[in-house]
């Protein structure tokens, strides 16, 4: 078990893992903090992250089983200790790790007597078993047990209906969620005259992902859900700009003149080592430049005004903002 002392920074929003442990191959635990937050922000983030952790992360499950020796789901087979229903329930509990997309085939082919475990599943190359010791069935006689399986990657859970049969195969309820549970709590404190908060996130996973990996993936998925709103706003602004393009003039001469002056000094101020994320650029302008492989102020100065205006979603108003940033960098160099 790993524990770290909690230290709260009053300058920059930071997250940290303060506790991490593996209780078993199929149960991982992690505790994280995010601070310092303004009053009310911890609850906003905590609720959203919990929903994303439980509902937006994909997992891999066995979703279907087929065997010629099984007449129906509630039957028993001579030489097998478990009923067919119990075998299907055991297959439902098998924890898999993969990055596959779509459905893949797997199989079990074992000769008794003996114990059938997850280790006996023949998997496609892109799939691996988290716990090879998971029990499937006990064979009490020298019989052959052959089962064809379907493996799928998805999110959430899927409850199969009794009528969902295909080619005499049996559907299996699938719980695709790698995160078994997630909680959040809030610690409030006073920093000077300001009330601030620390967000605590607790995450339990089934072993196919670590809590840290689950936190990263949930964060990415949550951000992706909000991106359409950002682009919708930009499309509206671009439409407004097109209708009013006669009212805006681009200071190309001024821009070109300042770029020329800064290029003459580029060795002196070491622009290659000043990254655009160190400048106070708005997120939208920053993303536009990054998508065009502009990472430093040196890269920026090597693009003409016309080239900058060809960048997708880049606006005339952005030029003035960049001019101010360049002027500031020159003054502080």
């Amino acid at each position: 078990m790993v524990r770290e002392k909690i230290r709260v920074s009053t300058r920059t929003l930071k997250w940290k893992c303060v506790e991490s442990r593996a209780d078993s191959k199929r149960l991982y635990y992690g505790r994280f903090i995010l601070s310092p937050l303004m009053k009310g922000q911890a609850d906003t983030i905590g609720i959203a992250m919990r929903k994303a952790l439980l509902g937006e992360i994909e997992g891999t499950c066995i979703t279907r089983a087929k065997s010629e020796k099984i007449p129906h789901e509630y039957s028993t087979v001579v030489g097998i200790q478990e009923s067919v229903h119990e075998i299907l329930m055991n297959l439902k509990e098998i924890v898999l790790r993969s990055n596959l997309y779509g459905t893949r085939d797997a199989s079990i082919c074992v000769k008794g007597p003996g114990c059938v475990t997850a280790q006996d599943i023949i998997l496609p190359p892109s799939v691996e078993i988290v716990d090879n010791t998971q029990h499937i069935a006990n064979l009490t006689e020298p019989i052959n047990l052959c089962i064809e399986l379907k493996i799928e990657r998805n999110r959430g859970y899927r409850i199969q209906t009794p009528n969902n049969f295909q080619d005499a195969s049996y559907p299996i309820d699938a719980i695709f969620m790698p995160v078994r549970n997630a909680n959040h709590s809030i610690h409030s404190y006073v920093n000077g005259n300001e009330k601030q908060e620390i967000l605590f996130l607790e995450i339990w996973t089934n072993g196919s992902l670590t809590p840290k990996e689950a936190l990263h993936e949930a964060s990415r998925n949550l951000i992706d859900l909000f991106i359409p709103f950002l682009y919708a706003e930009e499309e509206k602004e671009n439409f407004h700009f097109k209708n009013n393009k006669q009212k805006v003039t681009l200071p190309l001469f001024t821009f070109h003149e300042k770029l020329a002056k800064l290029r003459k000094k580029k060795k002196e101020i070491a622009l290659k080592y000043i990254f655009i994320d160190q400048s106070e650029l708005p997120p939208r302008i920053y993303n536009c430049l990054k998508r065009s492989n502009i990472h430093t102020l040196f890269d920026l100065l090597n693009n003409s005004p016309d080239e900058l205006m060809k960048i997708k979603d880049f606006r005339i108003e952005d030029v003035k903002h960049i001019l101010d940033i360049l002027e500031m960098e020159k003054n502080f160099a």
Side-chain angles (χ1 to χ4, degrees), residues 181-242:
N181 194 15
N183 291 328
H184 82 277
S185 57
I186 301 168
H187 171 70
S188 300
Y189 64 99
V190 177
N191 182 18
N193 296 326
E194 185 180 4
K195 189 173 182 179
Q196 295 182 332
E197 297 177 339
I198 302 175
L199 172 65
F200 290 82
L201 277 172
E202 293 182 288
I203 303 172
W204 291 262
T205 69
N206 64 359
S208 61
L209 288 178
T210 65
K212 183 178 179 180
E213 290 171 336
L215 183 63
H216 287 179
E217 186 167 341
S219 301
R220 288 195 299 267
N221 293 342
L222 194 59
I223 291 171
D224 289 342
L225 291 175
F226 288 98
I227 285 178
F229 294 106
L230 298 177
Y231 282 108
E233 184 65 25
E234 289 181 6
E235 289 175 1
K236 181 179 178 181
E237 291 176 359
N238 289 337
F239 178 76
H240 177 73
F241 162 70
K242 290 177 181 178

Side-chain angles (χ1 to χ4, degrees), residues 266 270-274 295-303:
K266 62 185 178 184
L271 294 175
K272 288 184 179 180
Y273 303 101
I274 302 177
H295 304 289
T296 66
L297 293 186
F298 181 81
D299 298 334
L300 182 59
L301 294 177
N302 281 295
N303 282 268

Side-chain angles (χ1 to χ4, degrees), residues 122-260:
I122 303 172
L123 295 167
S126 56
V127 185
E128 59 180 291
I129 295 170
V130 171
D131 185 0
N132 287 328
T133 65
Q134 284 190 264
H135 179 76
I136 297 176
N138 278 315
L139 305 183
T140 58
E141 296 183 13
I143 63 170
N144 291 324
L145 175 64
C146 294
I147 304 176
E148 298 176 17
L149 303 172
K150 293 288 185 182
I151 294 175
E152 185 179 342
R153 181 180 175 89
N154 212 318
R155 65 184 185 89
Y157 59 90
R158 181 192 302 158
I159 304 299
Q160 302 288 5
T161 61
N163 298 326
N164 190 11
F165 292 96
Q166 298 176 4
D167 302 326
S169 62
Y170 297 91
I172 299 175
D173 294 342
I175 302 176
F176 296 105
M177 301 179 292
V179 177
R180 289 297 184 236
N181 194 15
N183 291 328
H184 82 277
S185 57
I186 301 168
H187 171 70
S188 300
Y189 64 99
V190 177
N191 182 18
N193 296 326
E194 185 180 4
K195 189 173 182 179
Q196 295 182 332
E197 297 177 339
I198 302 175
L199 172 65
F200 290 82
L201 277 172
E202 293 182 288
I203 303 172
W204 291 262
T205 69
N206 64 359
S208 61
L209 288 178
T210 65
K212 183 178 179 180
E213 290 171 336
L215 183 63
H216 287 179
E217 186 167 341
S219 301
R220 288 195 299 267
N221 293 342
L222 194 59
I223 291 171
D224 289 342
L225 291 175
F226 288 98
I227 285 178
F229 294 106
L230 298 177
Y231 282 108
E233 184 65 25
E234 289 181 6
E235 289 175 1
K236 181 179 178 181
E237 291 176 359
N238 289 337
F239 178 76
H240 177 73
F241 162 70
K242 290 177 181 178
N243 290 340
N244 297 276
K245 59 182 178 180
Q246 300 298 332
K247 300 179 182 179
V248 183
T249 57
L250 176 64
L252 290 179
F253 177 77
T254 304
F255 186 64
H256 181 75
E257 185 181 48
K258 290 190 176 183
L259 287 182

